[in-house]
Amino acid sequence: MAASSKCLLLFISLLLGHGVLQPEAAADNQPYRTSYHFQPPKNWMNDPNGPMLYKGIYHLFFQYNPKGAVWGNIVWGHSTSTDLVNWTPHEAAIYPSQPSDINGCWSGSSTILPEGRPVILYTGIDPNNHQVQNLAMPKNLSDPFLREWVKSQDNPLMAPNSHNKINSSSFRDPTTGWLGRDGYWRVIIGSKINQKGLAILYKSKNFVHWEEAKKPLYSSKKSGMWECPDFYPVLIKSPLGIDTSIDGPNTKHVLKVSLDDTKHDYYKIGSYNQNKDIFIPDNGPFHKNSGLRYDYGKFYASKTFFEGNSKHRRILWGWVNESSSVEDDIKKGWSGVQAIPRSIWLDNSGKQLVQWPIKEIETLRLKEVNLPKQELKGGSVLEVSGVTAAQADVIITFEITELSKAEVLDPSWTDPQLLCSRKGASVKGGIGPFGLLVLASKGLQEYTAVFYRIFKSHNKYVVLMCSDQSRSSLNHENDETTYGAFVDVDPVHEKLSLRSLIDHSIVESFGGEGKACITARVYPTLATDAEAHLYAFNNGTGNVGITTLSGWSMKKAQIN
Ligand code: DQQ
């Protein structure tokens, strides 16, 4: 055998022997598998867990069922990357092996301790099906891929008991720890008492012995169970991220909770009183159906991390579930994708967060296609050709000149999702609907419309962004909810832009340069692969101007 072939064989056996998994595909016909959104090779995936950067390697762990395409048998799947775009799969990092996690290894977070030592806190399900919190540490700190994890012999470190009276079926998902000025680490854990959602606070000197604080960090009546809380500082008037332990004069704090009852991620901006160890939101408690959300479509159990390198970003991961039936998920052999990681920061207004896909995703862009500046007349549809429309990145910017034609906003129209579902893409308005038809079939039997409508209200204009799934597929077994969000953009003085990341069965849209995000899952039957088309459209009576349109076909990333 030639020396080069021997080297190749040795390399392959080394890869296999060191926890790099052989990619293994699911069923053969796979029009809905994504090309640049993270997925394991097959089976069920839900929450992103413990994302971090360690020795130049990005780590993503995730809730994973190694045995099938539905939730169950939960372990921590693990993949690594050098660029957050291309990913290598590893063996499961954390799996049931102790009494304290024998019935499942549920969500949790990583924390980088002093001297750069990463640790993971996660929820274990014990033999009584009680939720408890466990610690795991890397076996070998010199392995940048952190392939093996050992669990603390002291597990569980936090558990419900007759003294603390914590509800043992509602005690899960520890956050990344933050270090207070008093030298104590803190974490919060999602919980509820009756219908009051709460973030139970624990403190520790050494990350092993934890004591419950007298009061939760924060709670809100009638909000139900809080899953996967996240608590971190953001800088005022800067897009840079900061370490989770930083607490200074130029910072605000964000508390995000994943509401189990509605399956949406809501957040509050506010201040953290470190002496009292409480969070004070700027504008009141969490509600089940209103308030600021990371994403007004499908996006849940998200988690941020601070990457701590020269890029200084806080990066957000979020799970995007299927909209198809369980039977279809089983048939295709997988379920769940992760949204493209997003940089996240505080808007200059201080009133909301802004998100934008990480810059690295642009390395997948192929030749750029542009449309010249032009007027998009009411009732017109314009094809954007030259991009592989099933796998694309597109940004369109509009100029609204005929604002006088905007419809008057009825004061009772306060729910953007309801408004979008009443006024879908086929309902003609004054200014709008205008935007993009993505994953569209040639004869427009199928399309997903992502669009704006502009309303007049007192002395200002209100911008509504919608993602309408009602015509996405001829297969009506899928969830066809139309999602909506109000976007804080003033169309008189600001440009109105829309970016969509289209990837076979996911459409991730960013309105107003990241002020409102809507993610949808769709399963066209005609508009797949080369049969998918992309259009700009205006179904209003007023004309709108397209100032710029850039579209790119996207290369396939190396994912698992
Ligand atoms: N998923 C995990 C839980 C978490 C839920 C279980 C959120 O830890 O509360 O897979 O999707």
Side-chain angles (χ1 to χ4, degrees), residues 46-47 63 71 74 106-107 123 172-173 227-228 300-301 319:
N46 56 300
D47 319 352
Q63 294 281 283
W71 186 89
I74 294 294
W106 289 13
S107 286
T123 298
R172 55 185 183 269
D173 312 334
E227 299 190 306
C228 302
Y300 192 62
W319 165 45

Side-chain angles (χ1 to χ4, degrees), residues 74-129:
I74 294 294
V75 304
W76 278 42
H78 182 199
S79 288
T80 56
S81 170
T82 52
D83 58 6
L84 290 166
V85 175
N86 299 287
W87 293 89
T88 304
H90 299 286
E91 301 283 358
I94 300 178
Y95 43 86
S97 68
Q98 287 186 327
S100 61
D101 65 11
I102 205 66
N103 284 327
C105 298
W106 289 13
S107 286
S109 307
S110 60
T111 302
I112 311 276
L113 297 182
E115 287 107 48
R117 210 161 41 88
V119 292
I120 282 171
L121 274 177
Y122 68 100
T123 298
I125 309 299
D126 78 3
N128 302 315
N129 282 330

Side-chain angles (χ1 to χ4, degrees), residues 5-254:
S5 322
K6 272 191 196 155
C7 282
L8 187 66
L9 271 184
L10 181 68
F11 178 66
I12 292 171
S13 64
L14 278 177
L15 278 184
L16 293 179
H18 284 77
V20 175
L21 285 179
Q22 275 277 61
E24 200 182 336
D28 278 352
N29 178 24
Q30 291 284 359
Y32 307 127
R33 267 191 88 76
T34 54
S35 284
Y36 61 96
H37 281 78
F38 181 91
Q39 287 189 279
K42 60 177 185 174
N43 295 334
W44 167 273
M45 170 176 70
N46 56 300
D47 319 352
N49 290 152
M52 66 172 135
L53 177 65
Y54 180 68
K55 291 190 191 283
I57 303 289
Y58 291 100
H59 291 257
L60 177 66
F61 305 91
F62 48 91
Q63 294 281 283
Y64 179 62
N65 179 359
K67 296 186 182 157
V70 294
W71 186 89
N73 315 300
I74 294 294
V75 304
W76 278 42
H78 182 199
S79 288
T80 56
S81 170
T82 52
D83 58 6
L84 290 166
V85 175
N86 299 287
W87 293 89
T88 304
H90 299 286
E91 301 283 358
I94 300 178
Y95 43 86
S97 68
Q98 287 186 327
S100 61
D101 65 11
I102 205 66
N103 284 327
C105 298
W106 289 13
S107 286
S109 307
S110 60
T111 302
I112 311 276
L113 297 182
E115 287 107 48
R117 210 161 41 88
V119 292
I120 282 171
L121 274 177
Y122 68 100
T123 298
I125 309 299
D126 78 3
N128 302 315
N129 282 330
H130 290 172
Q131 298 171 6
V132 300
Q133 317 312 322
N134 296 322
L135 180 69
M137 296 138 297
K139 189 167 180 186
N140 174 8
L141 280 174
S142 62
D143 171 17
F145 299 105
L146 299 173
R147 281 167 285 204
E148 289 183 85
W149 290 78
V150 287
K151 295 173 188 171
S152 168
Q153 288 309 312
D154 293 316
N155 287 341
L157 307 183
M158 300 165 230
N161 58 42
S162 54
H163 295 294
N164 61 31
K165 297 204 172 66
I166 290 171
N167 179 345
S168 62
S169 60
S170 302
F171 182 52
R172 55 185 183 269
D173 312 334
T175 57
T176 294
W178 71 95
L179 186 60
R181 286 187 286 268
D182 56 5
Y184 279 83
W185 285 97
R186 282 120 166 113
V187 293
I188 51 173
I189 297 158
S191 189
K192 69 169 178 185
I193 298 172
N194 301 319
Q195 270 307 294
K196 181 168 82 177
L198 66 154
I200 300 181
L201 178 73
Y202 271 83
K203 290 165 79 168
S204 171
K205 262 262 172 227
N206 59 6
F207 232 81
V208 175
H209 297 109
W210 292 89
E211 273 191 31
E212 189 191 348
K214 288 203 174 67
K215 282 201 219 135
L217 182 82
Y218 190 60
S219 65
S220 297
K221 285 181 194 147
K222 295 188 192 155
S223 55
M225 174 65 189
W226 291 3
E227 299 190 306
C228 302
D230 199 11
F231 185 59
Y232 55 90
V234 283
L235 279 175
I236 295 170
K237 295 209 189 286
S238 165
L240 297 182
I242 43 175
D243 182 81
T244 311
S245 296
I246 290 180
D247 178 21
N250 295 322
T251 60
K252 296 289 287 184
H253 267 78
V254 175

